[in-house]
Amino acid sequence: MTVRTEIEAGVGRLLLDRPDKCNAMSLAMWQELPAALRSLVDDPSVRVVVVAGVGGHFCAGADIDDLLAGPDPQDPMRPVREADLAAQRALLDCPKPTVAVIRGSCIGGGLEIAVSCDLRVATSSARLGITPARLGVAYAPMGVRTLLDLVGPGATRRLLMTGALVGAEEALRLGLVEHLATEEELDGVVGALLADLRARSALTAVAVKETVRLLLQGEDPEPAARARYLETIACGELQEGVRAFQERRQPQFPWRHPG
């Protein structure tokens, strides 16, 4: 399997494992990703999902050999496009916090994967970009919307229309990533972020993700937010948070993802 998973200490890792190709996404990898992610979502021990590439690169993009290999000569890219969009949707809909850890190249389909995660940590030597204009690809609205929500219209137009690759410092300034680290610092920075996420209320994280999604879609978030609010009381999440604060200890939140 070129998309595989590992689980340790509450962290599920979704690994792109094709280092000889800089983890370029083959059609099979796009197709494997949703099921691999689902296995982590369904595991109650997993509190946070990390997405990373094996070796020195996150992902150099879609495997160009697959782009025109579909059986329909009128739409030869259709299998890749459909599998790519399904993978992005799986990440966007993941109920657990997701963190992309970016080394080296994070380009094209690789950046699609990264921006579909909640948070991104990159090494200072990383390069990021989405390059449809270099290939003559009409970029799908889902990817445009995700990028637009993250960096705004000006940066979205620039990145997509020029196919520009940006360094890590500029990516941080644009909002493509939230944290930078040297290669030596990366494990410590990621570890601290994951420790924070694991220690916090998983129910709060679910409620935040739902509310952000509904607001970005122009929908009313109040009914879902009200339901989550009542759930925090019914399951004891709020009570534990208040008691822990009063007792000056780390909370032991009881709520778990239903899977």
Side-chain angles (χ1 to χ4, degrees):
M1 297 285 285
T2 44
V3 177
R4 59 183 178 84
T5 61
E6 297 175 354
I7 299 173
E8 182 180 2
V11 176
R13 296 186 183 275
L14 183 70
L15 300 174
L16 311 179
D17 191 359
R18 199 186 180 200
D20 58 315
K21 296 288 188 179
C22 299
N23 299 317
M25 295 290 290
S26 65
L27 173 59
M29 292 173 73
W30 288 119
Q31 293 170 334
E32 290 167 10
L33 192 150
L37 179 62
R38 172 49 58 183
S39 73
L40 299 177
V41 171
D42 289 345
D43 190 314
S45 72
V46 173
R47 299 291 300 274
V48 184
V49 175
V50 168
V51 183
V54 173
H57 297 277
F58 182 77
C59 174
D63 189 330
I64 200 164
D65 291 339
D66 287 344
L67 292 186
L68 300 179
D72 181 358
Q74 299 301 314
D75 191 1
M77 193 177 165
R78 181 176 179 181
V80 170
R81 185 182 179 92
E82 290 181 346
D84 177 344
L85 293 175
Q88 290 181 62
R89 175 52 61 195
L91 285 164
L92 289 168
D93 290 345
C94 178
K96 299 181 179 182
T98 52
V99 178
V101 177
I102 301 169
R103 288 182 168 93
S105 296
C106 179
I107 298 170
L111 190 56
E112 288 177 342
I113 291 170
V115 299
S116 296
C117 295
D118 296 313
L119 299 169
R120 285 149 294 281
V121 182
T123 62
S124 51
S125 59
R127 294 188 315 151
L128 303 91
I130 297 185
T131 56
R134 298 188 182 200
L135 296 173
V137 173
Y139 202 57
M142 181 192 297
V144 176
R145 179 58 189 265
T146 303
L147 197 59
L148 182 66
D149 292 338
L150 194 62
V151 302
T156 295
R157 285 192 290 264
R158 176 196 164 200
L159 290 168
L160 293 177
M161 293 170 68
T162 69
L165 301 184
V166 300
E169 292 286 348
E170 185 172 3
L172 180 67
R173 181 180 62 79
L174 291 174
L176 278 175
V177 301
E178 286 75 36
H179 302 275
L180 287 189
T182 65
E183 186 66 41
E184 294 73 24
E185 296 169 338
L186 184 63
D187 288 346
V189 170
V190 172
L193 176 59
L194 297 179
D196 277 348
L197 291 170
R198 291 198 306 273
R200 307 303 182 236
S201 166
L203 183 51
T204 296
V206 168
V208 168
K209 287 169 69 91
E210 287 178 347
T211 298
V212 169
R213 175 177 56 81
L214 291 170
L215 286 170
L216 290 175
Q217 292 174 351
E219 299 179 32
D220 181 7
E222 285 298 334
R226 174 71 179 174
R228 291 299 186 188
Y229 163 70
L230 294 175
E231 189 175 2
T232 65
I233 298 170
C235 74
E237 196 90 340
L238 176 61
Q239 295 91 324
E240 169 59 14
V242 171
R243 282 195 299 268
F245 181 84
Q246 293 171 334
E247 296 167 7
R248 299 184 179 181
R249 61 173 174 82
Q250 285 293 321
Q252 301 298 315
F253 290 112
W255 190 87
R256 294 294 180 268
H257 289 274

